[in-house]
Structure formats: C-alpha cells, structure tokens
Amino acid sequence: MKLNRILIPTDFSEQSKSALKLAGFFTKTYGSTIDLIHIVPFSMYMSESMDKLGLPFDMDKDLYPKVVEKAKSELEELASDFIMEKYLGKTHVQVDRKPSSAIAEFANQQGYDLILMSAKGAHETNFFKGSITDKVIRKAHAPVFTVSRKYTSSGFERIVTAIDLSEHSLASLALSVELTYQFDTTLKLLYVNQIYSSEGYGFVAPTVGISNEDSNLLFQKRIDDYFNANKELGLSLQKTTQEFEYRIIKNDGASSISVPVHLEIVSGISVPYEITEYANKHADLLIMTTHGRTGIKRILMGSTAAQVVQQVDISMLTIRPDNFKLG
C-alpha cells in the first residue's frame, strides 16, 4: 500500500495529539514521512494578537511574522515529541479564514497519500468533528483518518467496513483488508438491509427488504464481480464452512495474505443510524467510502457518510472512491 506521505493537522490541543500517537504505526509499517500543519484561524489570530502590539503597527511586518513564528516553534516542538527524526518531514503554518479549506487545499496540492487528524479539537468541542473534520473529508482527495481520543497505542482490535454492495462502496475493501492484516485482527463487513426503501440498489428491484440468505448470496456475487473487474487488486473471496464467514485472499506476486471476514447484516429504516449504532457498539475503527450506491454525482460527500461522520464516536477512515488508488 502506498502511504509515503501523510499530513497531520493539529490545533495543539491534547485531543488533537491522538492523531500523532497513531502516526507511529504508519512510520513503522510503511516508512511514511509525516508532515504537520497548523492553521491559525484569522479571527482568532486577530483577537489574540491585536492587543499585544502597540500602535501604529504594520500588519505584514509586525503581526503576521510574530504569530506564525510562535506557531512554527510550537509545531516543531510537538513534532519532535511524537515523530522520529528520520520520519519527520516538514512543518507548515498558515493563517486562513477557513481552516478546513486550507487543510484540504494544501493536502490536494501537495498530493498526500493520507490525512491523519483528531476527531475533535480543543476543549472537547466540535472544532474538528462536525466542523473542520467534516469539511476536510468533503474536500480532500486523499483518504481521511479521523482518530478518536479512545485510540491507544495497542492499535485497533475491531474493524468494521460499511458497504452497500455498490462499486463505489466496495472501493474500501482493499484498504480494509490491508489494515486488518497489519493490525492482526478480523474484519466485519456491515451491510444494512434497508426496509421500506423507495429506491433500488441498481442490481435488485425496489423491495421491502430482502432476506438475510438472499443478502448473503448477493454479497458473494457482488464481491466476486468487483474483484474480477479489478484484478489489479489481487483480491479474491473464499467462502468457509460457516454461514456468513469468509476469507479475502490478497495475492502479491510470490506472497499472499489471508484475512478472516464476517458479513454482518442489519435491517433498519435508516442506513446512517444503523451504521452509527453498530459501529459505536462493535468497532473501534469504522471504514467507509464517502459515496455509495448513489454514486458521486454530488459535489459534496454522500448523505450517508456525512451523517455517520457527525455521529460516530470511534475512529473512522473515509475514502473517496474516485480519487483513491491502492498502490
């Protein structure tokens, strides 16, 4: 998997350090280079800086340099506390009216492979979650890994990937298999059988839900079709003797890995609600694409992912299927 360059945004809060703790996994496993970025919100920067300067002053000469210099120093100190020198890249400080846009645009322009950030920022507020994080996920090309403060250095023991069996949602499988293998755990694929649905899934007619047995058969067919259509992934699905139990095999030349997979089928009226409830109870990492069966026609993130991001309490990895390529 290609994770050469990772960007970590931080607001210097204790909560935001959760992402820095996870950085060690990526440096150790993939040899990733870690860059840090801090965005000084323009309004905050003005209110905290104006009263410290005598008048008259020059905005460019007096105000900006002092704020940026102080933040740069703090950022470098923070980086040295968490990132080994050989894996530490560059530290960046910007002043911007919209931190979320600044983070996403910088990551897109620089071509990072992953954005790693805390789910929440200072004072346990939604400075990140629901505000900064949500907007970064909407705009960033790279996968966005939001880390809950519940994360510990022991890693993730329960990984759940939410799928709807569309090609877009299945784009999360390759990375899910990779991370499941690296964390030495098992993978649950969560499929919500939406009852009283008013629209079809593209491959079955509109229905008042379907049985678990039919869902299981449909799962096998869709996964097989997806893997056959994307042979460059080197993935194949194997059924075990146990119902709803599978193995996904990844062949990479002379070597191969095998990951245990359990298909979990949940029925409900609201897909975002069912995903959120299940993940909060049964996972410490949720993986899903930003767009599913409705495709990527919208400019913004799909409605299901957007609602889950707002409500889930655990770490979450979101993948934009039109931009992410596993290499």
Side-chain angles (χ1 to χ4, degrees):
M1 182 168 65
K2 179 184 176 184
L3 288 175
N4 296 333
R5 299 174 64 239
I6 297 176
L7 180 67
I8 301 182
T10 180
D11 65 358
F12 301 126
S13 66
E14 285 299 315
Q15 291 75 20
S16 69
K17 292 178 182 178
S18 57
L20 288 161
K21 296 175 183 177
L22 181 55
F25 162 76
F26 290 103
T27 57
K28 180 180 179 180
T29 306
Y30 300 105
S32 309
T33 297
I34 309 294
D35 289 359
L36 274 67
I37 187 169
H38 173 69
I39 307 298
V40 182
F42 188 77
S43 58
M44 181 188 300
Y45 141 73
M46 289 294 289
S47 64
E48 292 184 356
S49 302
M50 292 288 284
D51 59 353
K52 299 178 182 179
L53 297 171
L55 296 176
F57 63 85
D58 183 279
M59 182 76 75
D60 292 328
K61 293 182 179 179
D62 297 325
L63 202 54
Y64 282 103
K66 288 180 171 59
V67 173
V68 172
E69 183 180 343
K70 180 176 182 296
K72 183 80 171 178
S73 176
E74 292 182 14
L75 197 59
E76 290 175 351
E77 181 178 354
L78 185 65
S80 65
D81 289 341
F82 286 91
I83 312 297
M84 293 179 61
E85 185 176 359
K86 66 177 180 178
Y87 298 119
L88 181 59
K90 298 179 180 180
T91 56
H92 306 273
V93 176
Q94 295 182 8
V95 177
D96 201 283
R97 295 180 184 275
K98 297 181 179 180
S100 58
S101 296
I103 293 169
E105 290 173 6
F106 182 83
N108 292 343
Q109 292 170 1
Q110 298 297 317
Y112 285 96
D113 300 310
L114 181 72
I115 299 173
L116 182 61
M117 62 193 300
S118 170
K120 289 189 177 182
H123 312 302
E124 286 291 332
T125 66
N126 284 342
F127 180 78
F128 278 117
K129 186 74 169 288
S131 177
I132 302 297
T133 296
D134 177 58
K135 294 174 183 176
V136 170
I137 292 172
R138 289 172 183 267
K139 298 176 181 179
H141 296 167
V144 180
F145 204 134
T146 56
V147 187
S148 165
R149 69 173 303 178
K150 297 177 182 178
Y151 170 77
T152 65
S153 57
S154 60
F156 298 102
E157 299 178 353
R158 301 176 301 163
I159 299 178
V160 169
T161 297
I163 58 173
D164 62 19
L165 300 184
S166 67
E167 184 172 349
H168 288 121
S169 79
L170 298 182
S172 63
L173 286 180
L175 189 49
S176 298
V177 168
E178 171 74 19
L179 292 178
T180 300
Y181 175 75
Q182 294 297 346
F183 283 114
D184 191 24
T185 184
T186 58
L187 174 65
K188 286 187 176 181
L189 298 181
L190 175 63
Y191 172 60
V192 179
N193 181 16
Q194 187 176 12
I195 59 177
Y196 304 113
S197 175
S198 61
E199 60 177 335
Y201 286 76
F203 43 86
V204 293
T207 177
V208 184
I210 57 177
S211 68
N212 281 7
E213 182 179 354
D214 289 340
S215 295
N216 191 22
L217 293 173
L218 186 59
F219 165 83
Q220 295 179 56
K221 182 179 186 308
R222 291 297 293 174
I223 299 295
D224 282 334
D225 289 347
Y226 179 77
F227 287 164
N228 288 331
N230 296 273
K231 293 186 179 296
E232 70 278 4
L233 298 176
L235 298 175
S236 60
L237 181 71
Q238 291 185 358
K239 193 179 187 314
T240 70
T241 56
Q242 301 296 316
E243 189 176 19
F244 303 112
E245 300 291 338
Y246 300 85
R247 301 192 75 85
I248 292 181
I249 312 298
K250 178 176 175 57
N251 292 302
D252 186 15
S255 63
S256 66
I257 63 174
S258 175
V259 171
V261 175
H262 172 77
L263 174 62
E264 186 74 24
I265 301 173
V266 177
S267 296
I269 296 175
S270 169
V271 173
Y273 174 82
E274 297 298 341
I275 293 175
T276 302
E277 285 294 297
Y278 186 89
N280 283 340
K281 292 178 182 178
H282 302 287
D284 46 29
L285 173 62
L286 173 65
I287 302 174
M288 65 184 300
T289 57
T290 56
H291 298 81
R293 60 189 174 91
T294 55
I296 52 178
K297 295 179 181 179
R298 301 190 189 106
I299 296 176
L300 299 181
M301 176 168 51
S303 60
T304 297
Q307 293 178 58
V308 173
V309 166
Q310 293 281 346
Q311 301 297 326
V312 76
D313 293 330
I314 60 172
S315 298
M316 184 173 179
L317 174 60
T318 52
I319 300 167
R320 192 178 181 95
D322 54 332
N323 287 305
F324 178 67
K325 300 294 183 183
L326 192 68

